[in-house]
Each structure stands twice: as structure tokens, then as C-alpha cells.
Amino acid sequence: MIKKNRIRQSIIMPALGVMMAGASVLAAGGSATAAESGTQAHPSSCHAEKKHFGSVAMCKKDHGGHYRALIVCKDSSNGKLLDFHGGWRNTGWSFAYCQGSYLTPVSEGYETKVS
């Protein structure tokens, strides 16, 4: 945190003034809403469920972002674990399948991203 003393104020305040003046020139073109400027966020109200084949995931609100199902599967012969993921979605269900010799679903989840 910046302490209030004369030396720092004499350096920072003029620099801050120059930065604010530059920002006001850039912002003078007009205002835009979040929808117009393309502001996006991570999806919310998400949940994942483990199924016999892997997992499914869905988010109720995408906020312009994407989500996908994740599943950790176990190899029936050696017990090793491996992660698999479904396709990125912004609506509907994403499915993640256990594959190859990794046929036992162990743990389900989901991943979100701003896109």
C-alpha cells in the first residue's frame, strides 16, 4: 500500500493525472453495454453427475462462456487413473466417457472457461 508522504505524492499524483487524462480521451468515443462490448464470464449454476459410462455436466447460465464434463476413470487391470473430458458446450449436456481399458468411472466434475 502506498504511504501518504510528500515524496510519493509528488511523484504519483502527477503520473496518475496523466493516466486519467489519457483514459478520458480514449473513453470519449461513447459508452457501451456489456453485451455490446463482448464482456463474458464463467458459466454458473453448474452440476455434474457420474453415470455408468462416465459423466454428464450442464450449466444453467452460460454468461457467454463454455463448460465441459470431466471424468476420472480407473484401468481395471492395473488400477491406474486417467482423465477424460467432454466437448465444450454453452447449452445442453456435455458428456465425458471412460475409454479403452479405463472403464470404471471414479470421480466426475466439470470445467468452465470464458470464451
Side-chain angles (χ1 to χ4, degrees):
M1 176 175 274
I2 298 173
K3 295 180 181 178
K4 291 185 177 182
N5 62 36
R6 291 180 192 252
I7 296 171
R8 288 190 178 176
Q9 284 180 342
S10 65
I11 295 171
I12 292 173
M13 295 311 284
L16 184 59
V18 170
M19 288 173 37
M20 294 302 288
S24 66
V25 170
L26 292 174
S31 63
T33 65
E36 292 170 341
S37 64
T39 300
Q40 297 176 337
H42 287 276
S44 63
S45 300
C46 304
H47 74 278
E49 300 173 20
K50 190 176 356 174
K51 300 292 185 182
H52 68 280
F53 58 81
S55 74
V56 295
M58 182 166 58
C59 297
K60 291 183 181 178
K61 298 178 183 177
D62 66 78
H63 303 291
H66 288 80
Y67 56 89
R68 67 179 176 182
L70 303 174
I71 189 71
V72 176
C73 303
K74 185 164 86 172
D75 187 316
S76 56
S77 63
N78 61 22
K80 288 185 180 180
L81 301 176
L82 190 61
D83 300 340
F84 295 96
H85 56 82
W88 289 105
R89 304 288 310 246
N90 62 356
T91 61
W93 293 98
S94 176
F95 300 92
Y97 300 96
C98 291
Q99 302 170 31
S101 61
Y102 294 86
L103 296 178
T104 306
V106 175
S107 179
E108 75 284 351
Y110 60 88
E111 179 179 21
T112 65
K113 72 175 181 175
V114 175
S115 52

